[in-house]
Amino acid sequence: MNIKQIAEAAGVSVATVSRVLNHPENVAPATRARIEKVIKEAEYTPNWFAQGLNFNTTKTIGVLVPHMLTGMYMEIANGVEEVARVKDYITFMCSVEKDPAMEKRYIEQLVHRRVDGIILMFSAMEKSYLRIVEDAKIPVVIIGENKENPGFSSVKVDCRSGAAQMIAHLIEVGHRRIGFLWGHDPQQETADMYAGYTNVLRASGIRMDKRLVAETENSIEGGYIATKRLITETLPDAIFATSDEIAYGAIDALKDRGLRVPEDVAVTGFGNERMANHVEPKLTTVEIPFRKMGIYGARILFDMIDDSSKEKENRHIMLQARMRIRKSCGHKERIGEMF
Amino acid sequence: MNIKQIAEAAGVSVATVSRVLNHPENVAPATRARIEKVIKEAEYTPNWFAQGLNFNTTKTIGVLVPHMLTGMYMEIANGVEEVARVKDYITFMCSVEKDPAMEKRYIEQLVHRRVDGIILMFSAMEKSYLRIVEDAKIPVVIIGENKENPGFSSVKVDCRSGAAQMIAHLIEVGHRRIGFLWGHDPQQETADMYAGYTNVLRASGIRMDKRLVAETENSIEGGYIATKRLITETLPDAIFATSDEIAYGAIDALKDRGLRVPEDVAVTGFGNERMANHVEPKLTTVEIPFRKMGIYGARILFDMIDDSSKEKENRHIMLQARMRIRKSCGHKERIGEMF
DNA sequence: TTGAAAGCGCTAACAC
DNA sequence: GTGTTAGCGCTTTCAA
């Protein structure tokens, strides 16, 4: 069913039908009612492609997620989607599986399909790849630090300070030999955490011990393996993991070795994802406001979309992370939280 | 940059450019090479909408997910996406937040945007709503049981038998008073589990006690609250939860009451999601092959898309669920699994 | 082997 | 207030 048929059925020209669709105020009430009736009865909706050819908007944004199965990323995406929904936009969610080649392919696709805006999450893209997007003049917001991508609006979390707080806390509680489980991603954020770690140690006059630092995949399994390896070398008082998942793996590994958490070794995570409060012992961690990151990112994006006319100067938001003291760090006056 | 400009730059007509794009074999090698060079240099890609107006395919499928933050649904989606990617399709992931109104809106959008196929996951849609999709002749596959939607291809899991096995196991291990925490969704699946539950109890000569059955939201919090309520009434030997998350909540609630799991009360889940093996005690559960469901569903969908000519007879796949015996059910010879 | 032109379904400028 | 028509960017038939 197309506009011509509607026009015939209503005894008018296609222009008039198009008008009731786009500028109903310019149509006589009687004609308008008649046409609307026909449209409703025929369940007619204008052809998407024909509209796309004429308008310059698709009411669609694209969101690139590093990994569909990682809850934290999905929380950010959820925040984005919520804003998009209110704006009557639909969202292309693309999971790039932490693979730059896939990320590139998806970006090309999104540009090709003329999305109105793109959100890049912890992107691995180099600036040069993003030229396609710039050429297409599609607004972009980057969520998560990325050194490779200056010149875009962004939303970030102050991971350095978050880690520093946590390390300071561990020291305060009495730990000296603090291990650092360094997840491979997100790259920039974990590097910032490391900076926070070394800084606080130095300031506290604690000597760095390289054996206490281990690199690992950002996953439960990664944390498990790295911890097993680490504790064969030397036994720390505490372990700081760059993500909650790594911390879960660390706890498993310690338990397997017959060590108690937090009595023998304290463990802390980063993120405060859904399960952090339901593992045993409850995980002390740094809360990242994931949903909020998504919401802010989306708001910036839609600001850019809405006044595409305005000369765009990039905006940057830095959110603070916040400690969640539970049991796993060995704090005496720990705060119990159920949810 | 459009086809006309390419044509001019190459000194040919638009028709010839279009030919090298779609039927290169019909173009003289020399002309073709010249045009391809221009295309490459200009980084030209045909306009998506103009193509859509002419072709009848969008290389896009839509996936309706009940809830973006529930890992199990995302695992299914991940399976779908993987198949789609291989097929060079892009996926619209739509999170309907367990809201039928949203689901309806998204379906309309997907139809409007002429996706080549749609996957409905644990859909709440009534048959009548899906008329839009049928009218548009868009292939649909339903993942997850849905009584309201006969007449569509589907992939399901035998939850009834899964639950029956688990209940039988609990009885075998010595439990008699077995609680049933009934999550509100997915509707049909949990109802099937209930059927399995009552059946096995009856067959084992155990009298049903209504006080042992509690309804709840499908979430950790839901499981927590329902369990607290349930155990004020009567104390079961064991609790069967219709999802892992509900089971986590149940375990929390029991611990809060000073009860040991599984010594005082055994707990089992359903799903075997990522964390089931990392909570304390490790969760005995029924494994649902989520990824596989997505993969099979997508394969059926693409079969339908690829031979749209063929008279389509619906296909139905029923997958088996499988028990994962861990610690939480109190089995003596429990199997330890790390990952 | 190539080009001219019609047509895909719609919007909007212009004319009445 | 409504109709006519050019044009959006592309594909494809038909003719040369």
Side-chain angles (χ1 to χ4, degrees):
Chain A
M1 185 64 82
N2 62 26
I3 201 174
K4 206 166 159 191
Q5 297 173 289
I6 299 292
E8 277 167 16
V12 295
S13 76
V14 291
T16 309
V17 177
S18 178
R19 263 184 219 109
V20 342
L21 254 21
N22 299 292
H23 310 285
E25 66 280 6
N26 298 335
V27 180
T31 353
R32 180 171 153 187
R34 187 155 35 99
I35 296 174
E36 278 169 346
K37 185 153 165 284
V38 177
I39 288 178
K40 175 143 281 170
E41 274 167 8
E43 290 185 352
Y44 165 78
T45 39
N47 181 293
W48 170 252
F49 299 105
Q51 285 194 143
L53 217 43
N54 285 287
F55 295 140
N56 232 341
T57 167
T58 51
K59 291 281 202 176
T60 310
I61 61 169
V63 179
L64 262 63
V65 187
H67 187 55
M68 211 191 298
L69 301 180
T70 303
M72 305 170 290
Y73 298 140
M74 296 314 289
E75 279 185 45
I76 299 178
N78 191 47
V80 173
E81 220 251 349
E82 190 183 297
V83 176
R85 184 160 52 237
V86 172
K87 282 257 169 193
D88 233 343
Y89 267 64
I90 205 172
T91 306
F92 259 135
M93 277 245 329
C94 310
S95 173
V96 304
E97 310 291 310
K98 301 181 181 174
D99 173 358
M102 270 187 66
E103 181 165 0
K104 190 160 171 259
R105 254 196 60 208
Y106 270 125
I107 291 177
E108 288 166 355
Q109 273 291 328
L110 292 174
V111 171
H112 186 205
R113 288 165 191 239
R114 301 270 203 286
V115 296
D116 293 346
I118 296 179
I119 291 207
L120 261 36
M121 210 182 284
F122 302 102
S123 167
M125 282 298 92
E126 286 161 32
K127 174 93 174 154
S128 61
Y129 281 145
L130 294 177
R131 235 204 50 236
I132 345 170
V133 189
E134 292 189 287
D135 288 353
K137 301 208 190 317
I138 297 177
V140 174
V141 172
I142 301 206
I143 295 185
E145 182 78 77
N146 188 341
K147 264 204 301 232
E148 308 288 351
N149 294 320
F152 290 102
S153 288
S154 68
V155 178
K156 299 171 193 172
V157 176
D158 191 346
C159 290
R160 177 168 175 155
S161 136
Q165 283 175 59
M166 183 59 84
I167 301 293
H169 174 77
L170 287 172
I171 293 173
E172 193 190 313
V173 182
H175 303 298
R176 310 289 296 176
R177 298 184 51 68
I178 302 174
F180 188 90
L181 289 187
W182 192 336
H184 287 144
D185 63 289
Q187 234 182 326
Q188 187 59 48
E189 278 77 1
T190 54
D192 289 348
M193 294 181 208
Y194 187 69
Y197 168 74
T198 53
N199 252 17
V200 175
L201 288 193
R202 201 175 304 123
S204 310
I206 298 178
R207 226 178 100 249
M208 276 285 302
D209 182 347
K210 282 280 174 192
R211 291 172 309 166
L212 288 170
V213 179
E215 278 192 50
T216 168
E217 283 298 306
N218 179 7
S219 66
I220 301 180
E221 293 78 0
Y224 181 85
I225 294 164
T227 303
K228 280 254 159 135
R229 211 173 42 221
L230 189 146
I231 58 183
T232 55
E233 292 253 359
T234 178
L235 198 66
D237 302 335
I239 290 179
F240 173 98
T242 59
S243 80
D244 288 346
E245 313 225 330
I246 294 175
Y248 301 150
I251 292 175
D252 283 344
L254 292 167
K255 284 183 182 171
D256 273 9
R257 267 286 203 282
L259 295 162
R260 290 164 309 161
V261 180
E263 293 82 354
D264 298 321
V265 182
V267 174
T268 67
F270 211 104
N272 194 32
E273 65 108 43
R274 218 170 93 269
M275 290 299 291
N277 204 20
H278 299 281
V279 292
E280 177 82 29
K282 294 184 178 174
L283 190 69
T284 290
T285 188
V286 179
E287 180 174 307
I288 302 178
F290 294 112
R291 261 185 116 260
K292 208 181 264 183
M293 292 175 79
I295 290 174
Y296 288 174
R299 287 208 190 128
I300 296 179
L301 188 71
F302 281 110
D303 282 353
M304 295 167 75
I305 292 174
D306 291 342
D307 12 87
S308 57
S309 55
K310 225 190 270 177
E311 197 49 47
K312 50 188 158 196
E313 79 187 44
N314 288 319
R315 282 169 59 192
H316 301 281
I317 292 182
M318 172 77 92
L319 298 173
Q320 288 307 310
R322 172 183 161 207
M323 280 207 296
R324 290 292 192 165
I325 312 290
R326 301 204 181 93
K327 191 177 170 191
S328 72
C329 62
H331 196 287
K332 300 125 239 175
E333 310 157 52
R334 64 182 188 265
I335 300 145
E337 293 157 302
M338 194 47 232
F339 300 122
Chain B
M1 185 65 81
N2 62 26
I3 201 174
K4 206 166 159 190
Q5 297 173 290
I6 299 291
E8 277 166 14
V12 294
S13 76
V14 292
T16 308
V17 177
S18 178
R19 263 185 218 107
V20 343
L21 254 21
N22 299 291
H23 311 284
E25 66 280 7
N26 298 336
V27 180
T31 351
R32 179 172 156 190
R34 187 157 35 101
I35 296 174
E36 277 169 346
K37 185 154 164 283
V38 177
I39 287 178
K40 174 145 283 171
E41 275 168 7
E43 289 185 353
Y44 165 77
T45 39
N47 180 292
W48 170 252
F49 299 106
Q51 283 195 145
L53 216 44
N54 285 287
F55 294 141
N56 233 340
T57 167
T58 52
K59 291 279 202 176
T60 310
I61 60 169
V63 179
L64 262 62
V65 188
H67 187 55
M68 212 192 298
L69 301 180
T70 304
M72 304 169 290
Y73 298 141
M74 296 313 290
E75 278 186 47
I76 299 178
N78 192 47
V80 173
E81 219 251 349
E82 191 183 298
V83 176
R85 184 159 55 236
V86 172
K87 281 262 173 188
D88 234 342
Y89 268 65
I90 205 172
T91 305
F92 259 136
M93 278 245 329
C94 309
S95 173
V96 304
E97 309 292 311
K98 300 181 183 175
D99 173 358
M102 270 187 67
E103 182 165 1
K104 189 159 172 261
R105 255 196 60 208
Y106 270 124
I107 291 178
E108 288 166 356
Q109 273 293 328
L110 293 174
V111 171
H112 185 203
R113 285 161 193 245
R114 301 270 203 287
V115 296
D116 293 347
I118 295 180
I119 290 204
L120 261 35
M121 212 182 284
F122 302 101
S123 167
M125 282 298 92
E126 284 161 35
K127 174 91 175 158
S128 61
Y129 281 144
L130 294 176
R131 236 205 48 236
I132 345 169
V133 189
E134 291 189 287
D135 288 354
K137 300 209 191 315
I138 297 177
V140 174
V141 172
I142 300 206
I143 294 185
E145 182 78 73
N146 189 338
K147 264 203 302 228
E148 308 288 350
N149 294 319
F152 291 101
S153 287
S154 67
V155 178
K156 300 171 193 171
V157 176
D158 191 346
C159 290
R160 178 168 174 157
S161 135
Q165 282 176 60
M166 184 58 85
I167 301 293
H169 175 76
L170 288 171
I171 293 173
E172 192 189 313
V173 181
H175 304 297
R176 309 291 294 176
R177 297 184 51 68
I178 302 173
F180 189 91
L181 289 186
W182 191 336
H184 286 145
D185 62 288
Q187 234 182 326
Q188 186 59 48
E189 277 77 1
T190 54
D192 288 348
M193 294 181 209
Y194 187 69
Y197 168 73
T198 52
N199 251 18
V200 175
L201 288 193
R202 199 174 306 122
S204 310
I206 299 178
R207 227 178 100 249
M208 278 284 304
D209 182 347
K210 282 279 174 196
R211 291 173 309 166
L212 288 170
V213 179
E215 278 192 51
T216 168
E217 283 299 304
N218 180 8
S219 67
I220 300 180
E221 293 78 0
Y224 182 84
I225 294 164
T227 302
K228 280 253 160 135
R229 211 173 42 221
L230 189 146
I231 58 184
T232 55
E233 291 254 359
T234 176
L235 198 65
D237 303 335
I239 290 179
F240 173 98
T242 59
S243 80
D244 288 347
E245 313 225 330
I246 295 175
Y248 301 150
I251 292 175
D252 283 344
L254 293 167
K255 284 182 182 171
D256 274 8
R257 268 285 200 286
L259 295 164
R260 289 165 311 161
V261 180
E263 293 82 353
D264 298 322
V265 182
V267 173
T268 67
F270 211 105
N272 194 31
E273 66 109 41
R274 217 171 95 270
M275 290 300 291
N277 204 21
H278 299 281
V279 292
E280 176 82 30
K282 295 187 177 169
L283 189 68
T284 289
T285 188
V286 179
E287 180 174 307
I288 302 179
F290 294 111
R291 261 185 116 262
K292 208 181 263 182
M293 292 175 78
I295 291 173
Y296 287 174
R299 287 210 190 126
I300 295 180
L301 188 70
F302 282 111
D303 282 352
M304 296 167 74
I305 292 174
D306 291 343
D307 8 272
S308 56
S309 55
K310 224 190 272 176
E311 198 47 48
K312 50 189 158 194
E313 79 188 43
N314 288 319
R315 282 169 60 192
H316 301 281
I317 292 183
M318 172 78 91
L319 297 173
Q320 287 307 311
R322 175 184 159 204
M323 281 207 295
R324 290 291 194 167
I325 312 291
R326 301 204 180 93
K327 191 177 170 190
S328 72
C329 62
H331 197 286
K332 302 122 239 176
E333 310 158 50
R334 64 183 186 264
I335 300 145
E337 296 157 299
M338 193 47 230
F339 301 123

